[in-house]
Structures are given as structure tokens and as C-alpha cells.
mmCIF file of all heavy atoms in Angstrom:
data_model
loop_
_atom_site.group_PDB
_atom_site.id
_atom_site.type_symbol
_atom_site.label_atom_id
_atom_site.label_comp_id
_atom_site.label_asym_id
_atom_site.label_seq_id
_atom_site.Cartn_x
_atom_site.Cartn_y
_atom_site.Cartn_z
ATOM 1 N N ASN R 528 86.032 -12.667 214.263
ATOM 2 C CA ASN R 528 86.287 -13.059 212.870
ATOM 3 C C ASN R 528 86.928 -11.929 212.084
ATOM 4 O O ASN R 528 86.421 -10.802 212.079
ATOM 5 C CB ASN R 528 84.971 -13.446 212.179
ATOM 6 C CG ASN R 528 84.361 -14.700 212.758
ATOM 7 O OD1 ASN R 528 85.072 -15.591 213.239
ATOM 8 N ND2 ASN R 528 83.040 -14.794 212.725
ATOM 9 N N SER R 529 88.015 -12.213 211.434
ATOM 10 C CA SER R 529 88.631 -11.252 210.522
ATOM 11 C C SER R 529 87.875 -11.279 209.195
ATOM 12 O O SER R 529 87.543 -12.342 208.674
ATOM 13 C CB SER R 529 90.094 -11.607 210.277
ATOM 14 O OG SER R 529 90.629 -10.819 209.216
ATOM 15 N N VAL R 530 87.609 -10.105 208.637
ATOM 16 C CA VAL R 530 86.882 -10.027 207.362
ATOM 17 C C VAL R 530 87.808 -9.650 206.212
ATOM 18 O O VAL R 530 87.341 -9.403 205.093
ATOM 19 C CB VAL R 530 85.714 -9.013 207.453
ATOM 20 C CG1 VAL R 530 84.721 -9.440 208.518
ATOM 21 C CG2 VAL R 530 86.235 -7.611 207.720
ATOM 22 N N GLU R 531 89.104 -9.626 206.456
ATOM 23 C CA GLU R 531 90.037 -9.256 205.390
ATOM 24 C C GLU R 531 89.924 -10.252 204.231
ATOM 25 O O GLU R 531 89.979 -11.466 204.422
ATOM 26 C CB GLU R 531 91.468 -9.239 205.924
ATOM 27 C CG GLU R 531 92.489 -8.750 204.902
ATOM 28 C CD GLU R 531 93.866 -8.536 205.506
ATOM 29 O OE1 GLU R 531 93.988 -8.589 206.758
ATOM 30 O OE2 GLU R 531 94.821 -8.299 204.728
ATOM 31 N N GLY R 532 89.722 -9.723 203.031
ATOM 32 C CA GLY R 532 89.590 -10.556 201.839
ATOM 33 C C GLY R 532 88.238 -11.209 201.663
ATOM 34 O O GLY R 532 88.013 -11.939 200.691
ATOM 35 N N ALA R 533 87.291 -10.962 202.583
ATOM 36 C CA ALA R 533 85.975 -11.615 202.540
ATOM 37 C C ALA R 533 85.078 -10.980 201.476
ATOM 38 O O ALA R 533 85.362 -9.908 200.937
ATOM 39 C CB ALA R 533 85.307 -11.532 203.906
ATOM 40 N N THR R 534 83.978 -11.665 201.188
ATOM 41 C CA THR R 534 82.973 -11.163 200.250
ATOM 42 C C THR R 534 81.770 -10.659 201.034
ATOM 43 O O THR R 534 81.267 -11.345 201.921
ATOM 44 C CB THR R 534 82.532 -12.260 199.264
ATOM 45 O OG1 THR R 534 83.670 -12.677 198.485
ATOM 46 C CG2 THR R 534 81.447 -11.740 198.322
ATOM 47 N N VAL R 535 81.319 -9.469 200.681
ATOM 48 C CA VAL R 535 80.187 -8.830 201.346
ATOM 49 C C VAL R 535 78.984 -8.862 200.407
ATOM 50 O O VAL R 535 79.074 -8.424 199.257
ATOM 51 C CB VAL R 535 80.514 -7.370 201.725
ATOM 52 C CG1 VAL R 535 79.291 -6.687 202.335
ATOM 53 C CG2 VAL R 535 81.695 -7.321 202.673
ATOM 54 N N TYR R 536 77.865 -9.381 200.885
ATOM 55 C CA TYR R 536 76.608 -9.361 200.141
ATOM 56 C C TYR R 536 75.701 -8.335 200.810
ATOM 57 O O TYR R 536 75.354 -8.477 201.994
ATOM 58 C CB TYR R 536 75.939 -10.737 200.149
ATOM 59 C CG TYR R 536 76.693 -11.790 199.363
ATOM 60 C CD1 TYR R 536 77.754 -12.487 199.940
ATOM 61 C CD2 TYR R 536 76.345 -12.083 198.048
ATOM 62 C CE1 TYR R 536 78.457 -13.453 199.228
ATOM 63 C CE2 TYR R 536 77.035 -13.045 197.319
ATOM 64 C CZ TYR R 536 78.091 -13.719 197.914
ATOM 65 O OH TYR R 536 78.778 -14.671 197.200
ATOM 66 N N VAL R 537 75.294 -7.315 200.065
ATOM 67 C CA VAL R 537 74.468 -6.257 200.632
ATOM 68 C C VAL R 537 73.345 -5.920 199.650
ATOM 69 O O VAL R 537 73.543 -5.894 198.439
ATOM 70 C CB VAL R 537 75.320 -5.014 200.972
ATOM 71 C CG1 VAL R 537 75.974 -4.421 199.733
ATOM 72 C CG2 VAL R 537 74.502 -3.976 201.727
ATOM 73 N N THR R 538 72.153 -5.692 200.186
ATOM 74 C CA THR R 538 70.964 -5.570 199.336
ATOM 75 C C THR R 538 70.810 -4.196 198.692
ATOM 76 O O THR R 538 69.985 -4.024 197.805
ATOM 77 C CB THR R 538 69.693 -5.908 200.133
ATOM 78 O OG1 THR R 538 69.586 -5.015 201.253
ATOM 79 C CG2 THR R 538 69.756 -7.348 200.643
ATOM 80 N N LEU R 539 71.577 -3.203 199.134
ATOM 81 C CA LEU R 539 71.555 -1.876 198.526
ATOM 82 C C LEU R 539 72.961 -1.300 198.568
ATOM 83 O O LEU R 539 73.728 -1.560 199.504
ATOM 84 C CB LEU R 539 70.583 -0.954 199.278
ATOM 85 C CG LEU R 539 70.276 0.398 198.623
ATOM 86 C CD1 LEU R 539 69.465 0.211 197.341
ATOM 87 C CD2 LEU R 539 69.505 1.301 199.602
ATOM 88 N N GLU R 540 73.288 -0.544 197.565
ATOM 89 C CA GLU R 540 74.622 0.060 197.452
ATOM 90 C C GLU R 540 75.050 0.731 198.755
ATOM 91 O O GLU R 540 74.297 1.521 199.330
ATOM 92 C CB GLU R 540 74.605 1.100 196.329
ATOM 93 C CG GLU R 540 75.901 1.864 196.158
ATOM 94 C CD GLU R 540 75.805 2.929 195.066
ATOM 95 O OE1 GLU R 540 74.736 3.022 194.411
ATOM 96 O OE2 GLU R 540 76.797 3.647 194.865
ATOM 97 N N PRO R 541 76.260 0.460 199.229
ATOM 98 C CA PRO R 541 76.755 1.120 200.442
ATOM 99 C C PRO R 541 76.775 2.635 200.266
ATOM 100 O O PRO R 541 77.171 3.145 199.214
ATOM 101 C CB PRO R 541 78.171 0.547 200.606
ATOM 102 C CG PRO R 541 78.104 -0.788 199.929
ATOM 103 C CD PRO R 541 77.191 -0.583 198.758
ATOM 104 N N CYS R 542 76.324 3.347 201.290
ATOM 105 C CA CYS R 542 76.236 4.807 201.192
ATOM 106 C C CYS R 542 77.627 5.428 201.120
ATOM 107 O O CYS R 542 78.619 4.868 201.586
ATOM 108 C CB CYS R 542 75.446 5.374 202.369
ATOM 109 S SG CYS R 542 76.211 5.122 203.987
ATOM 110 N N ALA R 543 77.664 6.624 200.525
ATOM 111 C CA ALA R 543 78.932 7.318 200.320
ATOM 112 C C ALA R 543 78.895 8.722 200.903
ATOM 113 O O ALA R 543 79.736 9.553 200.575
ATOM 114 C CB ALA R 543 79.251 7.364 198.821
ATOM 115 N N HIS R 544 77.906 8.996 201.752
ATOM 116 C CA HIS R 544 77.739 10.353 202.269
ATOM 117 C C HIS R 544 77.661 10.330 203.791
ATOM 118 O O HIS R 544 77.426 9.294 204.408
ATOM 119 C CB HIS R 544 76.464 10.985 201.701
ATOM 120 C CG HIS R 544 75.210 10.269 202.093
ATOM 121 N ND1 HIS R 544 74.864 9.033 201.584
ATOM 122 C CD2 HIS R 544 74.212 10.599 202.970
ATOM 123 C CE1 HIS R 544 73.717 8.642 202.104
ATOM 124 N NE2 HIS R 544 73.300 9.553 202.949
ATOM 125 N N HIS R 545 77.870 11.493 204.373
ATOM 126 C CA HIS R 545 77.733 11.652 205.819
ATOM 127 C C HIS R 545 76.304 12.090 206.114
ATOM 128 O O HIS R 545 75.936 13.247 205.906
ATOM 129 C CB HIS R 545 78.723 12.700 206.343
ATOM 130 C CG HIS R 545 80.140 12.226 206.354
ATOM 131 N ND1 HIS R 545 80.691 11.549 207.421
ATOM 132 C CD2 HIS R 545 81.108 12.311 205.410
ATOM 133 C CE1 HIS R 545 81.953 11.246 207.147
ATOM 134 N NE2 HIS R 545 82.235 11.688 205.931
ATOM 135 N N GLY R 546 75.473 11.150 206.573
ATOM 136 C CA GLY R 546 74.125 11.491 207.004
ATOM 137 C C GLY R 546 74.085 11.405 208.512
ATOM 138 O O GLY R 546 74.872 12.039 209.209
ATOM 139 N N ARG R 547 73.179 10.586 209.028
ATOM 140 C CA ARG R 547 73.137 10.353 210.476
ATOM 141 C C ARG R 547 74.319 9.489 210.909
ATOM 142 O O ARG R 547 74.700 9.475 212.072
ATOM 143 C CB ARG R 547 71.808 9.688 210.862
ATOM 144 C CG ARG R 547 70.575 10.542 210.575
ATOM 145 C CD ARG R 547 69.305 9.823 211.020
ATOM 146 N NE ARG R 547 68.104 10.626 210.815
ATOM 147 C CZ ARG R 547 67.350 10.567 209.733
ATOM 148 N NH1 ARG R 547 67.663 9.728 208.746
ATOM 149 N NH2 ARG R 547 66.286 11.326 209.608
ATOM 150 N N THR R 548 74.886 8.733 209.936
ATOM 151 C CA THR R 548 76.080 7.918 210.197
ATOM 152 C C THR R 548 77.101 8.188 209.097
ATOM 153 O O THR R 548 76.801 8.841 208.092
ATOM 154 C CB THR R 548 75.730 6.417 210.210
ATOM 155 O OG1 THR R 548 75.218 6.046 208.916
ATOM 156 C CG2 THR R 548 74.680 6.108 211.263
ATOM 157 N N GLY R 549 78.327 7.678 209.262
ATOM 158 C CA GLY R 549 79.369 7.874 208.264
ATOM 159 C C GLY R 549 79.194 6.959 207.066
ATOM 160 O O GLY R 549 78.378 6.031 207.086
ATOM 161 N N PRO R 550 79.957 7.194 205.987
ATOM 162 C CA PRO R 550 79.837 6.387 204.769
ATOM 163 C C PRO R 550 80.183 4.921 205.013
ATOM 164 O O PRO R 550 81.248 4.596 205.543
ATOM 165 C CB PRO R 550 80.844 7.043 203.816
ATOM 166 C CG PRO R 550 81.069 8.413 204.354
ATOM 167 C CD PRO R 550 80.931 8.288 205.831
ATOM 168 N N CYS R 551 79.271 4.030 204.595
ATOM 169 C CA CYS R 551 79.509 2.598 204.778
ATOM 170 C C CYS R 551 80.580 2.078 203.822
ATOM 171 O O CYS R 551 81.282 1.110 204.139
ATOM 172 C CB CYS R 551 78.206 1.822 204.577
ATOM 173 S SG CYS R 551 77.012 2.084 205.907
ATOM 174 N N CYS R 552 80.706 2.697 202.648
ATOM 175 C CA CYS R 552 81.738 2.237 201.713
ATOM 176 C C CYS R 552 83.126 2.422 202.332
ATOM 177 O O CYS R 552 84.010 1.570 202.160
ATOM 178 C CB CYS R 552 81.629 2.968 200.374
ATOM 179 S SG CYS R 552 81.828 4.752 200.464
ATOM 180 N N ASP R 553 83.316 3.510 203.081
ATOM 181 C CA ASP R 553 84.611 3.729 203.738
ATOM 182 C C ASP R 553 84.868 2.689 204.817
ATOM 183 O O ASP R 553 86.007 2.220 204.998
ATOM 184 C CB ASP R 553 84.661 5.130 204.349
ATOM 185 C CG ASP R 553 84.683 6.235 203.299
ATOM 186 O OD1 ASP R 553 84.858 5.903 202.101
ATOM 187 O OD2 ASP R 553 84.509 7.412 203.670
ATOM 188 N N ALA R 554 83.815 2.293 205.531
ATOM 189 C CA ALA R 554 83.963 1.272 206.574
ATOM 190 C C ALA R 554 84.390 -0.060 205.963
ATOM 191 O O ALA R 554 85.231 -0.779 206.530
ATOM 192 C CB ALA R 554 82.663 1.109 207.342
ATOM 193 N N LEU R 555 83.824 -0.405 204.810
ATOM 194 C CA LEU R 555 84.198 -1.654 204.136
ATOM 195 C C LEU R 555 85.628 -1.599 203.620
ATOM 196 O O LEU R 555 86.368 -2.594 203.680
ATOM 197 C CB LEU R 555 83.223 -1.931 202.980
ATOM 198 C CG LEU R 555 81.782 -2.223 203.378
ATOM 199 C CD1 LEU R 555 80.902 -2.348 202.135
ATOM 200 C CD2 LEU R 555 81.690 -3.499 204.211
ATOM 201 N N ILE R 556 86.021 -0.434 203.121
ATOM 202 C CA ILE R 556 87.400 -0.277 202.633
ATOM 203 C C ILE R 556 88.390 -0.423 203.775
ATOM 204 O O ILE R 556 89.406 -1.123 203.661
ATOM 205 C CB ILE R 556 87.552 1.091 201.930
ATOM 206 C CG1 ILE R 556 86.731 1.116 200.632
ATOM 207 C CG2 ILE R 556 89.026 1.377 201.632
ATOM 208 C CD1 ILE R 556 86.603 2.487 200.012
ATOM 209 N N ARG R 557 88.093 0.220 204.906
ATOM 210 C CA ARG R 557 88.976 0.123 206.069
ATOM 211 C C ARG R 557 89.062 -1.313 206.584
ATOM 212 O O ARG R 557 90.105 -1.733 207.107
ATOM 213 C CB ARG R 557 88.496 1.054 207.182
ATOM 214 C CG ARG R 557 88.736 2.524 206.914
ATOM 215 C CD ARG R 557 88.562 3.342 208.191
ATOM 216 N NE ARG R 557 87.209 3.207 208.749
ATOM 217 C CZ ARG R 557 86.197 3.994 208.427
ATOM 218 N NH1 ARG R 557 86.362 4.980 207.561
ATOM 219 N NH2 ARG R 557 85.012 3.812 208.984
ATOM 220 N N ALA R 558 87.976 -2.068 206.454
ATOM 221 C CA ALA R 558 87.965 -3.453 206.929
ATOM 222 C C ALA R 558 88.729 -4.389 206.002
ATOM 223 O O ALA R 558 88.935 -5.559 206.337
ATOM 224 C CB ALA R 558 86.523 -3.931 207.075
ATOM 225 N N LYS R 559 89.132 -3.892 204.825
ATOM 226 C CA LYS R 559 89.931 -4.647 203.848
ATOM 227 C C LYS R 559 89.209 -5.878 203.309
ATOM 228 O O LYS R 559 89.821 -6.938 203.089
ATOM 229 C CB LYS R 559 91.275 -5.045 204.454
ATOM 230 C CG LYS R 559 92.149 -3.860 204.859
ATOM 231 C CD LYS R 559 93.487 -4.314 205.429
ATOM 232 C CE LYS R 559 94.339 -3.118 205.825
ATOM 233 N NZ LYS R 559 95.667 -3.534 206.392
ATOM 234 N N VAL R 560 87.888 -5.746 203.121
ATOM 235 C CA VAL R 560 87.183 -6.848 202.467
ATOM 236 C C VAL R 560 87.650 -6.921 201.015
ATOM 237 O O VAL R 560 88.180 -5.952 200.460
ATOM 238 C CB VAL R 560 85.653 -6.658 202.540
ATOM 239 C CG1 VAL R 560 85.193 -6.566 203.991
ATOM 240 C CG2 VAL R 560 85.201 -5.431 201.756
ATOM 241 N N GLY R 561 87.438 -8.084 200.384
ATOM 242 C CA GLY R 561 87.953 -8.257 199.029
ATOM 243 C C GLY R 561 86.944 -7.985 197.931
ATOM 244 O O GLY R 561 87.308 -7.530 196.833
ATOM 245 N N LYS R 562 85.667 -8.261 198.195
ATOM 246 C CA LYS R 562 84.645 -8.143 197.153
ATOM 247 C C LYS R 562 83.324 -7.715 197.786
ATOM 248 O O LYS R 562 83.001 -8.120 198.906
ATOM 249 C CB LYS R 562 84.464 -9.486 196.436
ATOM 250 C CG LYS R 562 83.432 -9.492 195.327
ATOM 251 C CD LYS R 562 83.346 -10.862 194.643
ATOM 252 C CE LYS R 562 82.299 -10.881 193.540
ATOM 253 N NZ LYS R 562 82.223 -12.204 192.865
ATOM 254 N N VAL R 563 82.574 -6.913 197.036
ATOM 255 C CA VAL R 563 81.258 -6.485 197.501
ATOM 256 C C VAL R 563 80.240 -6.804 196.407
ATOM 257 O O VAL R 563 80.369 -6.355 195.265
ATOM 258 C CB VAL R 563 81.217 -4.979 197.827
ATOM 259 C CG1 VAL R 563 79.813 -4.578 198.292
ATOM 260 C CG2 VAL R 563 82.250 -4.627 198.890
#
């Protein structure tokens, strides 16, 4: 499934820092979703 232009529903703000994993906000931007 392509997620380009899709709407993402998430229960907590996507992280913006490098912890044990990379920033989730960057992953959503790269995936070209339309709305969060």
C-alpha cells in the first residue's frame, strides 16, 4: 500500500530526536503522507 497523501492517526506526537531509533516525524515526511 502506498501511503502518499494518506492521513496518519497517532496517539502521541511523533518523536523528533535520535534515541534508540531515528525520528518518526522524518519517517512520515519521507513517506509523503498528507496529514497527521
Side-chain angles (χ1 to χ4, degrees):
N528 293 330
S529 170
V530 299
E531 185 171 350
T534 298
V535 176
Y536 292 84
V537 62
T538 59
L539 190 68
E540 176 183 357
C542 64
H544 63 288
H545 287 272
R547 297 181 178 93
T548 62
C551 290
C552 60
D553 292 350
L555 294 175
I556 292 169
R557 287 194 300 270
K559 298 181 180 180
V560 301
K562 180 178 179 179
V563 179

